């Protein structure tokens, strides 16, 4: 399969430019070849109670962190020429564009794909298409929802599961497989860069607070899932601090897991 990056941003307030954490999983041929997790000093630099309730981050966590421009300087070279995928990509793409605009940075026009949009086409029977719901359907137990790294791993799992089900090797082919050949041939850019389902829902639910950085459990689950492409099995692990992801094999898990919190996509 092609090399691509699953990406997730968390924000400090209602401004899309207020990125406060970044999670990225880079995959190639079913291997996680790199992972990036970093806190960011948001712009503008303030937190609202409802955003803190979602992801658990406060100004104390990020006051000494790099600003977006400084953080992205080391990240951007790793994403050069890579397609990006996110769950509810209009939000994440909007954050990335807004942050580039705030710092007067040239935006590279990353091709963005959306697993949320794709899940509505592939799994219309699901009760909703929030990240944790789709991840569970695809066999991934997301227990640290709204930690940027954990969400990026979950998105990567969903994307690879979908590609495997459709028997395609690229995100573009996956998108094309979900829409009519006629529409895709004329308007491929629309399906890559736009999502008609533009409403973004981020709700606070009891028990949904995430402790930032405490995502090794999700990391280890992904490693276990990668071990075999074709063996269906359950995965369990603990939760510690994140580290660089070693090269591991990926597979689907047939077991669907109950979610302890119902939160936004």
């Amino acid at each position: 399969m092609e090399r691509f990056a699953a990406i997730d941003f968390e924000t400090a307030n209602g401004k899309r430019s207020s990125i406060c954490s970044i999670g990225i999983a880079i995959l190639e041929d079913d291997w996680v070849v790199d992972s990036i997790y970093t806190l960011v000093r948001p712009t503008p630099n303030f937190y609202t109670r409802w955003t803190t309730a979602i992801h658990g981050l406060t100004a104390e966590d990020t006051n000494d962190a790099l600003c977006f421009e400084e953080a992205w300087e080391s990240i951007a070279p790793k994403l050069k020429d890579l397609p990006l995928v996110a769950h509810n990509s209009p939000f994440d793409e909007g954050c990335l564009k807004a942050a580039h605009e705030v710092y007067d940075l040239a935006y590279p026009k990353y091709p963005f794909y959306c697993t949320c949009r794709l899940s509505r086409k592939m799994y219309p029977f699901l009760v909703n298409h929030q990240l944790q719901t789709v991840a569970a359907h695809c066999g991934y137990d997301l227990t640290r929802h709204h930690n940027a790294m954990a969400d990026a791993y979950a998105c990567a799992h969903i994307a690879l599961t979908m590609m495997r089900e459709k028997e395609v090797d690229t995100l573009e082919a996956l998108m094309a497989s979900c829409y009519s050949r006629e529409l895709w041939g004329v308007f491929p850019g629309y399906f890559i860069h736009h999502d008609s389902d533009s409403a973004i829902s981020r709700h606070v639910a009891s028990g949904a607070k995430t402790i930032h950085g405490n995502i090794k459990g999700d990391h280890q689950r992904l490693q276990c899932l990668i071990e075999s492409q074709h063996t269906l099995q359950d995965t369990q692990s603990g939760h510690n601090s994140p580290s660089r992801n070693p090269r591991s094999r990926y597979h689907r898990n047939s077991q669907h897991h109950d979610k302890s919190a119902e939160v936004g996509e």
Side-chain angles (χ1 to χ4, degrees), residues 95-166:
C95 289
L96 193 54
K97 287 181 176 179
H100 275 73
E101 183 177 354
V102 163
Y103 287 97
D104 197 26
L105 302 174
Y107 187 72
K109 295 184 179 179
Y110 298 103
F112 258 92
Y113 296 85
C114 183
T115 52
C116 182
R117 183 184 182 90
L118 285 164
S119 70
R120 293 187 179 113
K121 295 291 291 186
M122 292 184 63
Y123 315 128
F125 48 83
L126 294 179
V127 63
N128 61 56
H129 296 87
Q130 296 172 0
L131 178 61
Q132 74 277 20
T133 304
V134 181
H137 174 74
C138 293
Y140 188 78
D141 183 16
L142 176 59
T143 60
R144 287 291 180 265
H145 190 17
H146 291 303
N147 177 288
M149 191 72 255
D151 285 1
Y153 285 144
C155 180
H157 179 101
I158 293 169
L160 287 180
T161 299
M162 289 176 167
M163 291 165 74
R164 192 170 297 112
E165 289 181 2
K166 289 291 187 177

Side-chain angles (χ1 to χ4, degrees), residues 38-198:
T38 185
L39 296 178
V40 178
R41 188 171 68 253
T43 303
N45 190 9
F46 70 91
Y47 285 77
T48 61
R49 286 184 295 177
W50 64 270
T51 50
T52 292
I54 289 173
H55 50 56
L57 295 172
T58 68
E60 291 183 2
D61 298 308
T62 58
N63 278 340
D64 295 328
L66 298 177
C67 70
F68 174 82
E69 182 178 20
E70 295 167 330
W72 201 252
E73 184 178 3
S74 63
I75 294 173
K78 297 183 178 183
L79 302 183
K80 185 178 180 180
D81 299 325
L82 292 187
L84 306 182
V85 62
H87 198 80
N88 215 346
S89 66
F91 174 79
D92 298 280
E93 185 176 14
C95 289
L96 193 54
K97 287 181 176 179
H100 275 73
E101 183 177 354
V102 163
Y103 287 97
D104 197 26
L105 302 174
Y107 187 72
K109 295 184 179 179
Y110 298 103
F112 258 92
Y113 296 85
C114 183
T115 52
C116 182
R117 183 184 182 90
L118 285 164
S119 70
R120 293 187 179 113
K121 295 291 291 186
M122 292 184 63
Y123 315 128
F125 48 83
L126 294 179
V127 63
N128 61 56
H129 296 87
Q130 296 172 0
L131 178 61
Q132 74 277 20
T133 304
V134 181
H137 174 74
C138 293
Y140 188 78
D141 183 16
L142 176 59
T143 60
R144 287 291 180 265
H145 190 17
H146 291 303
N147 177 288
M149 191 72 255
D151 285 1
Y153 285 144
C155 180
H157 179 101
I158 293 169
L160 287 180
T161 299
M162 289 176 167
M163 291 165 74
R164 192 170 297 112
E165 289 181 2
K166 289 291 187 177
E167 298 182 341
V168 297
D169 294 327
T170 68
L171 291 168
E172 183 177 5
L174 174 62
M175 185 70 79
S177 72
C178 290
Y179 293 89
S180 71
R181 188 180 301 273
E182 292 78 11
L183 283 175
W184 180 256
V186 178
F187 302 114
Y190 173 83
F191 296 107
I192 296 175
H193 293 288
H194 302 277
D195 194 327
S196 58
D197 304 306
S198 59

Side-chain angles (χ1 to χ4, degrees), residues 195-216:
D195 194 327
S196 58
D197 304 306
S198 59
I200 296 173
S201 174
R202 285 184 173 271
H203 303 295
V204 179
S206 60
K209 181 175 181 181
T210 298
I211 301 174
H212 75 276
N214 191 18
I215 56 87
K216 189 175 180 182

